[in-house]
Amino acid sequence: MAELQQIMTRNVTSITSEQSVSDAATVMRQYNVGAVPVLQNGQCVGIITDRDISLRTAANGVDADTTPVESVMSKEIITGDPKMDVHEAANLMAKNQIRRVPVVDNNHLIGMVSLGDMSVQNIYENEAGQALSDISYPASPRNPVM
């Protein structure tokens, strides 16, 4: 039984909720990532994704230079524990239709695990594939783009 701490990315960059959406996009480009955890006093209070930026900022004509991350980030985040089983994490990701999970210990961010982290480990390829399949299938109509 493998744990998230064995496959997670440990050196995770983060931003604060007061930083601008433009700052978040710059961090994503600089580190070639699609999501950045949002921290307040070392605790994970949200996550901002490239999709958040596209749908909640760019598509609405909102100024990314002056809009704080807090206004567009996902606030209801699903987190994992470093000792969580990888299979359990894959099921959690599929159930919640998410591709990345911040890993926290005592409410402090210590890493990030993604479907990509699982898929490059041959023994978890099936879990990552099943999770992606479940994520890609719409559970219910949510926030349709108009």
Side-chain angles (χ1 to χ4, degrees), residues 11-103:
N11 296 323
V12 179
T13 191
S14 63
I15 55 174
T16 66
S17 57
E18 295 84 25
Q19 287 182 264
S20 72
V21 172
S22 181
D23 289 341
T26 299
V27 166
M28 287 179 194
R29 182 185 65 221
Q30 181 179 355
Y31 292 95
N32 194 29
V33 296
V36 179
V38 182
L39 303 185
Q40 200 70 37
N41 299 321
Q43 296 189 355
C44 196
V45 296
I47 191 166
I48 186 164
T49 66
D50 46 8
R51 184 173 169 85
D52 292 333
I53 293 171
S54 296
L55 297 179
R56 297 178 185 159
T57 306
N60 291 324
V62 175
D63 184 358
D65 290 327
T66 59
T67 303
V69 164
E70 183 175 41
S71 64
V72 299
M73 71 182 189
S74 298
K75 295 175 184 168
E76 294 181 22
I77 57 169
I78 307 296
T79 60
D81 180 271
K83 296 195 180 293
M84 178 183 277
D85 178 69
V86 173
H87 301 283
E88 182 183 349
N91 289 335
L92 182 70
M93 294 166 89
K95 176 184 172 193
N96 290 284
Q97 295 191 317
I98 55 177
R99 298 170 190 262
R100 304 163 188 96
V101 174
V103 181

Side-chain angles (χ1 to χ4, degrees), residues 1-3 6-7 86-87 117-128:
M1 172 169 76
E3 299 172 339
Q6 294 171 295
I7 67 166
V86 173
H87 301 283
D117 295 327
M118 292 179 190
S119 67
V120 297
Q121 304 285 327
N122 289 337
I123 58 175
Y124 305 116
E125 194 171 345
N126 291 338
E127 286 84 352

